[in-house]
Amino acid sequence: MARETAPPSQEEIEERIQQVGRYSRAVRTGLLIILSAFLLAVIVVLPANLDSPSQAVESILMPLTFVGLGTILYGIGMHLHLMHLNLVRQLQPEPTDNQSSAPDSDD
């Protein structure tokens, strides 16, 4: 049995869109923090460990992993953001054009 619910009002749709923008900014901020930590590790930690290649790789491996995971999470966040915007667009009431759908009666 399908539930009969009223379509969301224009105010509810606008509120959802504003919330999506906030979440999108949070995801971008998180990725920016991860990229900043990676650059800090490359600039500060890597030069101190250039004595041997294994130490250099070991010092940069963990930050590089975090950048990869952060990028994956950013992609997932943006995908969810776009899916939500698509859902909000689908929930908006479509204007009905009764005049163009009515048959002409020119007899």
Side-chain angles (χ1 to χ4, degrees):
M1 178 173 3
R3 232 174 29 171
E4 295 290 328
T5 59
S9 67
Q10 191 65 27
E11 293 83 25
E12 291 172 339
I13 292 172
E14 291 298 325
E15 182 180 329
R16 289 181 189 180
I17 291 174
Q18 290 173 358
Q19 289 174 357
V20 168
R22 186 175 353 145
Y23 298 141
S24 175
R25 284 189 298 276
V27 168
R28 289 181 181 156
T29 302
L31 182 63
L32 184 64
I33 290 169
I34 290 172
L35 288 176
S36 299
F38 174 70
L39 290 176
L40 186 64
V42 168
I43 293 170
V44 175
V45 178
L46 185 61
N49 292 315
L50 287 178
D51 298 338
S52 71
S54 65
Q55 285 180 345
V57 168
E58 186 176 328
S59 70
I60 205 68
L61 190 59
M62 185 65 73
L64 191 59
T65 303
F66 281 123
V67 168
L69 290 174
T71 305
I72 289 170
L73 290 174
Y74 178 75
I76 291 170
M78 287 298 105
H79 177 74
L80 292 174
H81 170 72
L82 292 174
M83 284 177 38
H84 188 267
L85 284 178
N86 187 33
L87 177 65
V88 169
R89 182 183 55 83
Q90 289 177 3
L91 289 176
Q92 288 181 337
E94 293 182 15
T96 56
D97 192 6
N98 292 334
Q99 294 176 351
S100 65
S101 62
D104 292 332
S105 56
D106 293 334
D107 290 311

